[in-house]
Amino acid sequence: KKDGKKAEELRGKMLDGLIEQKLVKQAADKAGIDISEREIDLAVDDIKKQNGLTQESLLLALAQGGLTYKEYREQLKEQIRQVKFINKEIRSKIMVLPEDIEAYWRQRPDEFISPPAYRLNMIFIPSADKDVYKLKLKAVEDGIKKGEPFGDLARAYSEGFGASSGGEMGWMKAGELDKSVEDAASKLKAGSVAGPMVNSEGAYFIELVETKSAAPMPLEEVRGRIQDKLFKKTMDE
């Protein structure tokens, strides 16, 4: 009797599932949702990667299950189409309210910190031509020791960005610079110079113009990021 009841429940669930699938298919048809061959190709590739299958082993597995490759692609197409329709329907009903965005921003101040930034002037001397490299390197080092304006030295010897404007780099955030350059910049005071910092490409000299410390980012600057995060969270749920 108990087995009969379980079987009845299972049949009911299967029937509900079939009805639901049929309704979704009809709704997707009505909405004009279609899937390209490229999307099916990508889905097949993804399935092969997840299961460690080659094309040959996939075809063998399908044959053992009584499916042709064409039938399998048709099944995949319908599954992708229905998922695409459901996602579209859910998307249209998700609302991320301004007060939710603001609450998220206030509750997680450490998540939205603007890193330190440095306004720099830079001299770069490439090491490709060793003789020229040595001459320019010495000229810059001597010029710095004599107190010559950094901008004049950059215009005369630098082969890097902004050389013609005195080596002006503008504002650079932590993480955007070569590590040795960033480490040197973090220890400088405004108006002071560091270098040479040497790597496989050549030598760098920097002059620190101004520093911005790490600081909380204003809500308007991160509103879009928070909205995307909350939207994705709701979609996943």
Side-chain angles (χ1 to χ4, degrees), residues 206-220:
I206 57 168
E207 179 182 46
L208 181 67
V209 180
E210 193 180 349
T211 302
K212 283 181 186 173
S213 301
M217 299 168 80
L219 176 58
E220 286 313 308

Side-chain angles (χ1 to χ4, degrees), residues 43-61 72:
V44 171
D45 288 343
D46 195 40
I47 288 163
K48 287 194 290 189
K49 281 177 190 171
Q50 286 178 15
N51 295 281
L53 297 171
T54 62
Q55 183 66 14
E56 291 72 23
S57 56
L58 173 64
L59 293 174
L60 180 61
Y72 179 62

